[in-house]
Amino acid sequence: MRPDGETLVKPGRNEPCRCGSGKKYKKCCLDEDREADRSMQAMTPELEKAIRELQAKIERGAERLRNEYGIYINYVSPVDFQGRKVWAIGTRVYADRPPNETFHEFLLHILRGALGEEWRAAQAAVPENERHFVMRCLDEYGKWARAMQTPANQQAKDKRAVEPNGWVLSLISLAWDVAALIDASNLPDALVNRLRDPVAYQGARYEIAVAAVFARLDCEIRFLDEDEELRGKKHVEFVATHRPSGQEIAVETKSRRRAGVLNEEGEPDPDDPLHGDSRAVRRRFMEALEQAPDDMPFMIFIDINAPLEPEAEGLDKQWIQDIRRWIERLPVPTAEEPDSYNALYVTNFAPHYQGDQLASGSEWAAVKPLHSRNPLGFDLTGMLDHALNNYHRVPEVAEDGVVLS
């Protein structure tokens, strides 16, 4: 039973999985559904009634999610039941959770489950300085959480309000993005495997970040790496379909790699962290253009992966000036010779550079051609802009349906 009262009919083991991955159910969501079923054993008619009654409170938080966070989907508030807490994400219900668990702590529970106990145990056996970046974040989160247990941070009984450092924001934002894709019923095993892989992590992490932004705009996400017919052929990372309008958008993501950062070998260059960005970003942009489909609007996302520039504002940031210089040298699109893309978003999602320091969010800039080969019937770019402005703000969903900052 879903929180809205709709009964879920599970496919047979050898039938296509309902998440749309194209794989058989037994090789896709079966194990995750079994875990949810174990939690669902605590479900009773009284609990179902409590969850349904909660829907009346959700709209208060839904409006705030749209206006303040750029989130256009609803998250079901938790229910206190028989001294325990019950959460719901997408079609999954998580019963028997700790009574004082916050939404952020619940998101970390989802992330740990996605990565798997076996992977975490293997990482724990590795020397600390050789561990995967996500495992290091989990380690640092534990240290941070213990250090924050002070009276000065007390907000209410068993709850504290503190600002995250770079490690914690990196971890929480990843957990938030993973939960967004689970909510959209599409977190492919192949993508999780890439997250676990130190070499593939950075590309997978950025793909998940961008896909999660679209998912929170109420888009269905179809990852094309799961399409066996496209193996070995040119294709984008995923197609986002905006449910209210039906608008489809092909999306390609690229992330700038740097020595000594996000599992990369070598040592970072603190004296010249932006060296070569202009050429590197332009090169990735040209690579992305090669993936442009002939019959669908196309957006490109590139992350520069650099320390933030808090001392500069807006167009004064060095990396933005670099991008403007090479963009201005490109041919100007016309109605007769339009660009093959509808928007280029260059982001800097960089809390991982801040480590133990207070995290300060992200930066981004956009290029939107006046003429594109496949114009948008419904223009999502304004919604995207708002969502990117608030990307690293993870809401706190409370029991009474109110979304806390």
Side-chain angles (χ1 to χ4, degrees), residues 281-330:
V281 174
R282 185 180 186 278
R283 186 162 56 249
R284 277 151 184 78
F285 172 71
M286 300 307 293
E287 292 169 355
L289 286 180
E290 297 176 3
Q291 307 299 105
D294 296 327
D295 57 353
M296 190 182 301
F298 177 50
M299 292 188 184
I300 300 169
F301 286 75
I302 301 174
D303 193 81
I304 66 168
N305 182 21
L308 298 177
E309 294 183 69
E311 67 283 355
E313 295 184 4
L315 299 180
D316 292 333
K317 295 180 184 294
Q318 183 61 51
W319 67 269
I320 293 180
Q321 294 181 34
D322 289 344
I323 291 168
R324 289 185 68 185
R325 277 193 288 271
W326 62 258
I327 284 289
E328 289 170 356
R329 292 197 297 268
L330 296 176

Side-chain angles (χ1 to χ4, degrees), residues 26 51 57 67 77 80 109 119 125 129 171 182 196-197 220 222 237 255 269 279 286 319 327 338 362 364 367:
K26 67 182 179 181
I51 292 177
K57 301 179 180 179
N67 294 340
S77 297
D80 288 325
H109 169 71
W119 179 84
N129 63 343
L171 185 67
I182 290 176
R196 297 186 185 110
D197 182 347
E220 178 185 351
R222 181 164 64 95
E237 309 287 5
S255 184
D269 185 354
R279 293 188 298 274
M286 300 307 293
W319 67 269
I327 284 289
S362 56
W364 65 276
V367 177

Side-chain angles (χ1 to χ4, degrees), residues 54-325:
L54 190 61
Q55 304 308 305
K57 301 179 180 179
I58 289 177
E59 273 307 311
R60 287 180 294 174
E63 183 176 0
R64 189 171 177 187
L65 283 173
R66 288 191 297 271
N67 294 340
E68 297 186 24
Y69 293 85
I71 298 169
Y72 287 77
I73 55 177
N74 293 335
Y75 285 88
V76 178
S77 297
V79 176
D80 288 325
F81 184 71
Q82 295 182 350
R84 303 292 285 175
K85 188 168 283 188
V86 182
W87 298 89
I89 291 289
T91 60
R92 304 181 192 178
V93 175
Y94 300 79
D96 199 33
R97 298 298 304 156
N100 297 318
E101 185 175 56
T102 67
F103 185 57
H104 291 188
E105 290 167 340
F106 170 61
L107 293 177
L108 292 181
H109 169 71
I110 290 178
L111 176 61
R112 290 187 183 99
L115 292 172
E117 184 177 346
E118 183 178 347
W119 179 84
R120 288 184 283 116
Q123 283 292 311
V126 174
E128 187 172 348
N129 63 343
E130 298 178 14
R131 291 175 186 169
H132 190 293
F133 175 74
V134 175
M135 191 64 189
R136 294 185 64 191
C137 287
L138 285 166
D139 294 340
E140 293 294 333
Y141 172 81
K143 299 174 186 177
W144 174 86
R146 289 189 293 272
M148 294 301 105
Q149 299 291 325
T150 65
N153 294 326
Q154 194 78 28
Q155 184 183 43
K157 183 180 179 182
D158 299 319
K159 291 186 179 181
R160 290 170 173 79
V162 290
E163 295 294 328
N165 62 24
W167 296 106
V168 173
L169 186 56
S170 296
L171 185 67
I172 292 291
S173 62
L174 171 59
W176 174 226
D177 291 344
V178 165
L181 295 183
I182 290 176
D183 186 77
S185 298
N186 196 359
L187 181 66
D189 290 342
L191 196 50
V192 175
N193 287 336
R194 288 170 56 206
L195 267 187
R196 297 186 185 110
D197 182 347
V199 176
Y201 170 77
Q202 183 175 327
R205 173 66 189 98
Y206 190 53
E207 185 176 341
I208 285 174
V210 176
V213 169
F214 277 93
R216 290 192 283 263
L217 297 183
D218 199 7
C219 290
E220 178 185 351
I221 307 300
R222 181 164 64 95
F223 291 98
L224 298 192
D225 277 347
E226 295 293 294
D227 191 335
E228 294 186 2
E229 293 184 3
L230 295 177
R231 296 282 168 84
K233 299 179 182 179
K234 179 190 77 171
H235 64 79
V236 296
E237 309 287 5
F238 63 86
V239 172
T241 303
H242 185 237
R243 291 184 178 92
S245 66
Q247 176 67 68
E248 289 187 321
I249 300 173
V251 180
E252 180 70 8
T253 65
K254 302 285 185 183
S255 184
R256 167 85 160 91
R257 292 181 179 270
R258 296 183 183 279
V261 179
L262 296 177
N263 302 315
E264 290 293 305
E265 295 182 355
E267 294 294 330
D269 185 354
D271 296 325
D272 195 3
L274 296 176
H275 178 68
D277 257 4
S278 179
R279 293 188 298 274
V281 174
R282 185 180 186 278
R283 186 162 56 249
R284 277 151 184 78
F285 172 71
M286 300 307 293
E287 292 169 355
L289 286 180
E290 297 176 3
Q291 307 299 105
D294 296 327
D295 57 353
M296 190 182 301
F298 177 50
M299 292 188 184
I300 300 169
F301 286 75
I302 301 174
D303 193 81
I304 66 168
N305 182 21
L308 298 177
E309 294 183 69
E311 67 283 355
E313 295 184 4
L315 299 180
D316 292 333
K317 295 180 184 294
Q318 183 61 51
W319 67 269
I320 293 180
Q321 294 181 34
D322 289 344
I323 291 168
R324 289 185 68 185
R325 277 193 288 271

